[in-house]
Amino acid sequence: MTNAIKSATPRIFISYSWSSQEHQERVIELASRLRADGVDVLLDVWDFKEGQDKHTFMEKMVLDATVSKVLVLVDRQYADKADSKTGGVGTETQIISSELYAKVEQTKFIPIVLEHDENGPILPVFLKSRKYIDFSPLSTIDHYQYLVRLLFNKPLNEKPPLGKPPQYLETNLQPKTRFLSETHSLKKVVSSNSAGSITATSKSIYRDLAKEIISAEILTFQKENHDEEVLDSIHDLKVVQNSFLETTSQLIDFDPNAALVSIREYFEPLLKAYQPTSNPYKTYQTDNIAFIAQESLLILGSLLIKTEAFSTFGNLTRTYLLSSKNSQIKNVLITDIYKNLPSLEQLRNQRLNLNRISVTADILKERADSSLISFEDMISTDLVLFLRALFKGDHWVPRTIVYKSDYDSTELFIRAESSSYLKGVLSAFDMYSTEEFKKTFEEAKENYRLSNYRISSNSWPVNFKNLINYEKLGTLK
């Protein structure tokens, strides 16, 4: 019986600002009341001991998997410190906002509003769009019982169980098997070890995949629901993307350079499909195609990095495609497939009031469900594409790094602590020494003001030094 009760006991941490003695007493009073009602409350005045590191304590409290909820008690001083990133609150909220962004389920962090002003409830920017509980004097309802029910996961109104779909919804739709069949045929050709046949077969598959993607262009533009159409199309094209992943993986396993011989057949028609035209809505109508193209490049790069084909990765970034930009046919680098996706980043973000730094990154993360590559692999690839483009004066925006905090390094550059592994990574940048890489990075940091680089206007500056594990590169001999 005791174990059953213990397992059901919620464990929470309270984040707040030491605004005044009166405010601190109010916090302690709430925490004491919750403990009296069976909630295991962690609070700095009780649990932060002499000799402990403040930052480590805050990080542990926020990230601890045994902490089911973090109550963020917001008064005016808390909001001001969070927005200016000053004091303990500033440090704590950086950890919280990073954790908030990295999770699909974001209900771990519960804003508790303690004050209002003429504009409504006082909240820091990173919590503005979150559902909150009002504990302010202006609230006409005592929300304490509601909070306790929430902490024990015992809502007053339970959601009814989901039933079975009615039989009349059944259809005779058949799954798309054509691409699976083509991928299987490539396996047979690869097993024959004939380079000529492999190239011919892979080019044919890539052409078919590109045609399928291009045929999904959205022919009309209706602002009210256009972002939904784009997202539905992206989901429908998952079977095509899976075939691209499987085909490319087989080619790289056979010979990493074999993929580069055939890849133009895929990326070139996709790039042409979403180049600007006289139609002002064209950029919206082809955002689904542009998303798939950019996701495909991240997949291809991730497969090369996963197999440590770093020099081939460098060759990939030097691959040229024919483009019809501005009605002129010319050669552009493969990274020119990058474009902003206004249907997702502007229309969807604003229509649903998501307040996301990158909706595109969210979708990429959601779709990264393959056993061949992980989302972490894609983040590393995104970062390498950005750095290489930066060093060469080209353009790429590493959207996925919004899922890394200021204190994180990518897995690729953690591995690069090994001097032998770093040697391979450097070949992706056409470099041969740690000193050359660091010098180029420092020059780019200065020339392009990397210290102030943001993924979007509502994001914090990116800490690239931590992302690339700058201080530890090549330290393991």
Side-chain angles (χ1 to χ4, degrees), residues 26-46:
R26 182 181 179 186
V27 173
I28 294 172
E29 180 184 348
L30 174 62
S32 301
R33 186 178 178 188
L34 288 170
R35 285 192 65 82
D37 284 330
V39 180
D40 184 10
V41 178
L42 299 170
L43 194 66
D44 58 352
V45 295
W46 298 332

Side-chain angles (χ1 to χ4, degrees), residues 246 279 432 469:
E246 183 66 29
N279 176 5
Y432 303 98
N469 202 17

Side-chain angles (χ1 to χ4, degrees), residues 121-155:
I122 294 175
L123 287 165
V125 171
F126 80 99
L127 290 176
K128 284 281 188 187
S129 64
R130 309 291 166 185
K131 185 176 180 181
Y132 60 85
I133 301 176
D134 195 342
F135 269 56
S136 74
L138 293 181
S139 176
T140 57
I141 303 173
D142 184 357
H143 285 110
Y144 178 77
Q145 188 180 113
Y146 174 85
L147 174 61
V148 172
R149 283 186 169 278
L150 179 64
L151 298 178
F152 279 94
N153 197 25
K154 295 289 183 183

Side-chain angles (χ1 to χ4, degrees), residues 388 391-392 422-423 426-444 468 470 473:
R388 182 171 173 103
F391 296 165
K392 303 294 182 180
L422 175 61
K423 185 178 179 181
L426 292 177
S427 67
F429 296 95
D430 303 327
M431 296 182 188
Y432 303 98
S433 69
T434 311
E435 293 74 21
E436 181 185 6
F437 177 81
K438 287 188 172 182
K439 180 184 177 184
T440 307
F441 176 82
E442 292 294 346
E443 288 173 353
I468 65 172
Y470 184 92
L473 289 176

